[in-house]
Amino acid sequence: MSVKPAPAPGAVRLDPLLLGAVLALVSLGLVMVYSASAVTAEQRYGDSFYFLKRQAVAAVLGLLAMAFLLKLGYRRLARLSYPLLLTAFVLLVLVLIPGIGVTAGGARRWIRLPLYSLQPAEFAKLAWVVYLSYSLAKKREKVATFSVGFLPHVLVGGVLILLCLQQPDFGSAVLLLTVMFLLLFAAGAKLSYLVGSVLLALPLGYHAIASSPYRMKRIQAFLDPWPHRHDLGYQVAESLMSIGSGGVTGLGLGDGRQKLFFLPEAHTDFIFSIIGEELGLIGVCVLVALYGVVLWRGVRASLRAPETFGSYLALGVTAVIGFQAVVNMSVAMGMLPTKGLTLPFVSYGGSSLTLLMAAAGVLLSVSATAEGPVRPRTSSVVPPRGVPA
Amino acid sequence: MRTQTHLRAAQVSVDAPGRWVRLRVAMLGAVLLCLLGVVLVRAVKLQVFERERLEGLARDQYVRHIEVPARRGDIFDRRGVPLAQSVDVDSVWVDPSLLTDVPRAARALAKRLSLDSGELEARLMRGKRFAWVKRQLKPREGDAVRALGLPGVGYTKEPRRFYPQRELAAHVLGMVGTDGHGLEGLERAFEDELSGESAQVPGLRDARGRKALVEGAADPEDHTGASVTLTLDRHIQYVAEKALAKAVHDARAVAGMVVVMDPATGEVLALANHPRFNPNLPGSATLAQMRNRAALDLYEPGSTMKPFVVAAALEAGAVGPDQTFDCEQGALRIGSHTINDSHAYGLLTPEGILRVSSNIGMTKVAQRLGRERLVAAFQSFGFGERSGLLLPGEGKGSLPFPRADVALATQSFGQGLTATVVQVTAAYAALANGGQLMRPFLVSRVVDPDGVVLLENKPTKVRQVVSQGTARRVVRMLESVVSKGGTAPRAAMPGYRVAGKTGTAQKVDTVAGGYSDKRIASFVGMVPAEAPRLVVHVVVDEPKTDVYGGLVAAPAVREIAEASLAYMGVPPSQAVSRGQVVAEVGREEPPPAAEPPRPAVVEVSVAGSPGGGAVRIPDLQGQVGREAVARLVGMELTPRLVGSGRVVTQRPAAGSVVEKGALVTLELASR
């Protein structure tokens, strides 16, 4: 009675659209990372391929992680949910310790390992989704209750969010919070709790922002970037100019001017600006369409999942990807204040890319296991209620 | 079995998501998709509707119109030797926003560039993204700044004016200020032609302010000023400056001037002032010191004016060549004034008057000529009108009508009227040129980089001042000046016949009015006397040792003439061809009045020196076409160009001797 992955290898039916969209995004990312970073890399490291090489390594690692999770099957994650959550806690605490956590750009976000910098917040996102899905699925109808269904998740989430804010990593904190609300909502938490907590959180959130002059200025710069275009609004103003210059057809791959040091972090958080500038509206449409496909296929997998754990898991992963994509692009186009969230699969960043590809593996696993009304016969999982035939 | 696995794996729940769950998931998915739609709408707004505005903002920051200053045109001597050139040197600027510690950077930069650190710091503080640190660095300074390795420091190539011959002809060339505009001399006179048009080139700029790309790099040829070719000859100029310096030094004089002219053409071969200055060192000379006094300033010439009076009187028939004048033993009263001679003389012919430079004799000649004809004669010799060297501020000279008897007397020996050194030289050139006054000129050609000739000066006859015969007779008379009994035996040269005239003028005391005891000593020589190729005029201002032109200026004229004649390959007069030339001159001596004026000098010189019209072809290999042409034109050769770029082959070969005006074919190729 060996324990085998749920779908037999031969029976794995990968969702070609989902896989294709993810791989297309990763490929687009590699191209754009090179285009956006070549000049900076040449300047800083004397090797224009510096960032491309590292991103390519992360992509290969991501592919391996994706294949591994696909092979493992998402159900195994249920048992791993607590260890994963615990690991996330430990990492989030470790990163705050000077000497272990590496500071860059005023935030302590990375743990430098040999050959690789780990960003615990990226790991925490995945662990948080797995834990929430598991916990919510386990509690079933009790989700609707306050003490069992609502409070514990809010408390666990609150600790994670506070740890993220210590770095500070406001973007990840907001993402964790959002995922929690989405999953609680999907699992049937009472709307009154959700709305009530939001109302309660508002003064706290305002305090968190207002107490930090840095965040306050960011908000001001967001509200009106042009007067601040030489200081805090600089990135956004430059980003808007980049995207605007692209027009419909773009300036052509590699011909963007903003990456000539006008736009800091052009290859990480603001890679969308370079896409907009070099590939134009056409490129932006393709990009949005790819995320649309991921969203569609992710929600489809969630809807067709044979049990609630898979359903929540698929929804959570889809939300992480979709939410980050929307927020990142909105920031680049001046619709949201700067957050520090990457453009999923595209932005430069090893931890982000590897873990997001791992998450895509989970999503693919759920979709491959999907028990849909369309093809019940090919389903390799148990029917609802799971009673042996 | 499979079921069991699933039960174990998904021990949490085997519930299929309920309908409500599905509904909520679908709702959330829809919300996310809507948000993506919002993103897309925003992208359309930015990239379609706001494109122009944003693109303009972006262009403003990375496209900078970089002004590419035109390369100032070069100035060449008559043989194409560069006298003024433009070379590219570094200018250093800084983007202060990239400096971490402005005061420290300012101190470091100031130390290496010998600037005031406080002032530099203030300048860096003011500049937001750009501030000049220092323009037109010396190479050593550039290296020192590079060694600092400061961030935000940039370099721009700027053309700097360079005078490869240093002090040579500095007064003629003038000088260029740091802003690239001519301050004095030809640099100022030909400012528009030399400077060319600077171009606005759109260039990409990165955030650190470096010029990243220049779209369609400007062809430097398009932005080069015109080149100016002078009539000056570097060698003669050098000899003249050296001799002048020696004369001024020996006489402990305050200043000196020299003009060397080709009488047949009016070309100024040398034009110099002393003291000299080095135009490569801005600030080394005041504007007054940079003034080309020989061409611009007026002085009272003194006795050097006498031959023109004699020539006019002979031409008018007012006096005869053998007529004698009583020189009153050295003192002649005119009204309340007394005219003195340096020595007491009795009866003198016009030739004698010129030989000993008798003021009393001259007064009597002038009295015969009369006031109107005297003034007319001076005017005819070119006095009182601008020479037309094209230099800014050139003096015209004044010829006040000599109403008083004493004024007629003093004007006859060159006091009470003013002229420039160039004017006097040109008037002598007219005597040397058979009475034909040529317009003096200094600039022979101004050619823009495309080869379009903007200005070309050719020898121009102004007028026949006196007949050829009269002119020759006066020149013959002036040969006696350098003889034993003359005023300037020191100007005599072995091998060449020399005609000339001394001048020792009193300087006007500008404070007291009237004349001071300061003198201007001068000598004008014409060599060889039988067919002058050169007129050399040396003026020494306020000599302290001796005051007489024959002692102070004549040796310098001799030195210049000897070196120049040898350089020009003019054969000696006596040993070789005295008889021939005398015969030749003798043949033309009786002036046939009907005979049209002919450029006798050229004729004679060709006859006398077969090599005179020949030149040696220079080696032009590797030269830029434009420069090669300038050199050939300067040597009076006719260039013919095949192709473009640099000279690859030339025909006839370098070193071969050809007649002036001969065709030289240059084959050009790029690289």
Side-chain angles (χ1 to χ4, degrees), chain B residues 230-571:
Chain B
L230 305 182
T231 58
L232 296 185
D233 186 297
R234 190 189 75 91
H235 185 79
I236 297 176
Q237 178 78 22
Y238 172 74
V239 166
E241 290 188 12
K242 203 176 81 172
L244 179 68
K246 186 171 178 293
V248 170
H249 182 258
D250 287 352
R252 291 195 279 118
V254 297
M257 294 166 262
V258 60
V259 178
V260 179
M261 197 176 280
D262 181 342
T265 58
E267 288 169 295
V268 176
L269 300 175
L271 176 57
N273 292 263
H274 194 88
R276 308 205 288 174
F277 72 96
N278 184 348
N280 290 317
L281 307 173
S284 66
T286 62
L287 277 180
Q289 285 168 318
M290 284 159 56
R291 192 168 169 81
N292 186 4
R293 297 179 55 209
L296 313 181
D297 283 5
L298 300 168
Y299 76 123
E300 294 194 20
S303 300
T304 46
M305 294 298 279
K306 285 173 182 169
F308 310 128
V309 182
V310 171
L314 287 173
E315 178 80 3
V319 301
D322 300 319
Q323 195 177 347
T324 56
F325 297 87
D326 182 1
C327 292
E328 314 279 351
Q329 298 306 315
L332 173 68
R333 280 195 73 81
I334 295 178
S336 59
H337 300 270
T338 308
I339 308 292
N340 291 311
D341 279 344
S342 54
H343 297 89
Y345 300 109
L347 294 177
L348 288 175
T349 60
E351 177 173 334
I353 291 169
L354 290 175
R355 186 178 69 238
V356 300
S357 198
S358 165
N359 292 341
I360 296 166
M362 262 340 286
T363 303
K364 294 194 167 175
V365 171
Q367 283 166 349
R368 292 288 178 91
L369 183 62
R371 291 176 167 79
E372 284 77 15
R373 284 195 289 188
L374 180 76
V375 172
F378 284 150
Q379 279 170 347
S380 187
F381 271 102
F383 294 100
E385 64 180 325
R386 260 178 256 284
S387 307
L389 289 183
L390 304 175
L391 289 169
E394 200 179 339
K396 191 160 86 165
S398 65
L399 291 176
F401 189 81
R403 258 179 261 284
D405 289 339
V406 71
L408 176 66
T410 57
Q411 284 198 1
S412 75
F413 48 84
Q415 302 272 179
L417 51 80
T418 59
T420 66
V421 178
V422 170
Q423 279 178 330
V424 175
T425 315
Y428 272 91
L431 287 178
N433 192 30
Q436 202 173 129
L437 178 68
M438 303 300 289
R439 188 169 65 75
F441 65 104
L442 186 57
V443 175
S444 57
R445 280 163 73 87
V446 178
V447 184
D448 83 2
D450 303 331
V452 177
V453 178
L454 304 179
L455 175 96
E456 182 159 29
N457 276 323
K458 291 232 160 69
T460 314
K461 176 185 167 182
V462 179
R463 65 182 75 87
Q464 188 76 29
V465 183
V466 291
S467 72
Q468 196 175 332
T470 304
R472 292 193 166 278
R473 180 166 288 132
V474 172
V475 171
R476 281 292 289 276
M477 289 176 178
L478 291 175
E479 280 189 66
S480 67
V481 170
V482 299
S483 67
K484 272 247 157 56
T487 52
R490 291 193 184 192
M493 278 182 241
Y496 292 103
R497 287 164 57 190
V498 180
K501 182 72 194 80
T502 54
T504 308
Q506 288 176 294
K507 268 183 102 168
V508 172
D509 190 326
T510 46
V511 182
Y515 290 100
S516 67
D517 57 354
K518 290 175 178 162
R519 297 287 192 275
I520 290 181
S522 59
F523 185 80
V524 193
M526 296 173 281
V527 287
E530 68 276 13
R533 293 282 303 276
L534 292 175
V535 174
V536 183
H537 187 182
V538 171
V539 179
V540 178
D541 192 7
E542 296 183 23
K544 303 282 187 321
T545 50
D546 288 302
V547 296
Y548 296 107
L551 299 174
V552 174
V557 169
R558 182 186 132 166
E559 194 181 327
I560 296 165
E562 274 183 336
S564 304
L565 290 174
Y567 164 73
M568 292 161 73
V570 177

Side-chain angles (χ1 to χ4, degrees), chain B residues 201-215:
Chain B
V201 179
L204 283 190
R205 194 186 67 110
D206 66 25
R208 297 179 191 172
R210 288 174 300 222
K211 291 177 199 175
L213 295 161
V214 174
E215 289 169 350

